[in-house]
Amino acid sequence: MFMRKFLSASVLAGLLLSTAPAFAQTVGPAGEAATPSAEVTLSDADIAALKDKGYKAALLWHTSSDFVNAVTAGAKDEFARAGVEVVVQTDAGFDAARQRSDIETALAAKPNVILALPLDPVTSAEAFRQAVTDGSKLVFLSNLPADYKHGKDYAAIVTDDLFQMGKQAADALAKAMGGKGKVGWIFHDATYYVTNQRDNAFKSTIEKDYPDIKIVAEQGITDPARAEELASAMLLKHPDLDGIYVTWAEPADGVLAALRAAGNTSTKIVTLDLAEPVGLDMVKDGAVVALVADKAYELGRTMAATGLKSLLGQETPAFIVAPALTVTKDNVVEGWKESLNRDAPQSILDAAK
């Protein structure tokens, strides 16, 4: 799931660096304090003020995936409550030029609210400028166009509670290890504030809260395809690792392959985001002990509510975060549904019976 958001390292250069100190909480691209998504709601009076006005919305997504589907469902349900029609929905296929074309297409429909994940800060800043000029209320998912000002150019950034995702991963791995042992830390070796905060939160939580757990091996990764190779090297040097943290689910699958190739049945894995291979290993009592995910449906609901509150002329927080969710074998069916607003893959449902 993480790859729905992962762009090149240059895309978000100048935001929060991976070399920054450990974060005490999730902060926005310019250090904004986070507002919990639960605090962003439409009142009955808001709904009444929005209905029967002919307001329209556009969803300009960066790609298509289970995650995007869940965000879309949350947004559409919230718009429907207010009688707002979604007139345009696009998928840019991670192509910034295509996204620019999508924006031009959407503006022809004159949407009052636009929800989007900008693919490139510089390109997106120019591409969304006409929407700002036209008076559309912009709500961004995770990323922000360069030099855009809150309250003037956009209503809010909405994203995961990044610190909590990393912290909950640390807590879950520590619990599975009995609060002691040796850990390997496989982090995303790029400047990207989403993964940097999540990874650093895991590390800082282990160092602060679990004195009997030591991070004895660290490995940066940029290409998920190299995960098995890098994990094999880590295990060769540290065959007695009790646990490994992996920055997101796709490379975690490679780490699983490395453990299997080494005949290792004792090292435990925790990773972030939901995916079928690691989820199936978890429910089969394999190496994976927990997956920490975001609540994608809640992200969509919050984005829509924020855009509509802005449309009503209400002040909106600059940076909003949706809760993190720890998914284990015990709650995998409920957790998958809560995160993605869909059932877990059939293979996982069958194995969880």
Side-chain angles (χ1 to χ4, degrees):
M1 273 177 49
F2 164 68
M3 290 305 290
R4 90 241 175 195
K5 293 187 203 170
F6 174 53
L7 316 175
S8 67
S10 62
V11 166
L12 286 156
L15 295 180
L16 295 180
L17 303 181
S18 57
T19 53
F23 301 99
Q25 61 181 4
T26 301
V27 295
E32 302 95 334
T35 296
S37 63
E39 295 183 12
V40 182
T41 59
L42 294 172
S43 68
D44 291 343
D46 293 337
I47 295 294
L50 290 161
K51 280 190 172 179
D52 302 321
K53 298 295 192 301
Y55 291 138
K56 296 177 288 186
L59 312 179
L60 309 183
W61 299 134
H62 50 305
T63 187
S64 58
S65 65
D66 286 346
F67 168 82
V68 170
N69 290 341
V71 175
T72 297
K76 284 186 172 181
D77 285 352
E78 191 72 350
F79 282 134
R81 281 206 316 132
V84 175
E85 181 185 4
V86 176
V87 292
V88 177
Q89 181 176 333
T90 61
D91 165 13
F94 280 110
D95 184 330
R98 182 172 164 186
Q99 184 174 66
R100 179 166 187 163
S101 175
D102 289 344
I103 295 167
E104 293 172 355
T105 299
L107 290 179
K110 300 188 182 305
N112 304 95
V113 178
I114 295 176
L115 311 185
L117 189 153
L119 278 167
D120 176 83
V122 176
T123 303
S124 296
E126 184 178 352
F128 281 102
R129 183 54 61 189
Q130 187 60 50
V132 175
T133 301
D134 289 354
S136 296
K137 304 303 180 182
L138 300 177
V139 183
F140 295 121
L141 180 61
S142 297
N143 301 340
L144 181 67
D147 300 322
Y148 271 40
K149 305 300 181 186
H150 173 247
K152 177 186 174 186
D153 301 315
Y154 69 98
I157 305 168
V158 182
T159 193
D160 317 328
D161 192 335
L162 306 169
F163 181 85
Q164 275 298 316
M165 290 187 76
K167 180 184 184 303
Q168 289 184 30
D171 293 339
L173 186 59
K175 180 179 179 181
M177 291 170 51
K180 61 182 179 180
K182 299 177 181 178
V183 167
W185 182 54
I186 298 179
F187 62 95
H188 185 209
D189 193 12
T191 301
Y192 185 44
Y193 88 101
V194 169
T195 48
N196 297 162
Q197 288 197 64
R198 299 187 333 179
D199 294 346
N200 288 336
F202 172 87
K203 186 178 184 183
S204 65
T205 299
I206 291 294
E207 293 173 344
K208 176 177 176 290
D209 295 346
Y210 299 101
D212 294 327
I213 296 179
K214 305 298 181 186
I215 297 175
V216 298
E218 300 184 6
Q219 177 62 59
I221 187 169
T222 55
D223 180 2
R226 294 194 62 209
E228 182 176 355
E229 169 197 347
L230 296 172
S232 295
M234 178 182 283
L235 290 165
L236 187 62
K237 189 172 182 180
H238 301 276
D240 58 345
L241 287 178
D242 298 288
I244 299 176
Y245 164 86
V246 191
T247 183
W248 75 89
E250 186 180 359
D253 197 32
V255 177
L256 267 177
L259 289 176
R260 291 167 182 158
N264 184 322
T265 58
S266 59
T267 302
K268 305 179 188 306
I269 292 175
V270 67
T271 191
L272 307 180
D273 304 328
L274 302 179
E276 185 172 3
V278 288
L280 187 59
D281 179 84
M282 180 176 69
V283 296
K284 288 184 173 181
D285 294 317
V288 178
V289 296
L291 308 173
V292 180
D294 52 27
K295 295 188 179 182
Y297 181 87
E298 172 68 0
L299 287 172
R301 182 207 68 78
T302 305
M303 292 182 75
T306 303
L308 294 175
K309 290 176 82 69
S310 181
L311 188 59
L312 290 172
Q314 299 177 16
E315 289 189 12
T316 55
F319 184 70
I320 306 167
V321 297
L325 173 70
T326 298
V327 178
T328 66
K329 178 183 178 180
D330 293 338
N331 72 337
V332 66
V333 174
E334 300 82 3
W336 217 280
K337 187 76 172 180
E338 188 174 359
S339 172
L340 293 177
N341 195 47
R342 55 153 287 182
D343 292 334
Q346 193 60 47
S347 63
I348 291 176
L349 294 175
D350 291 342
K353 291 179 181 177

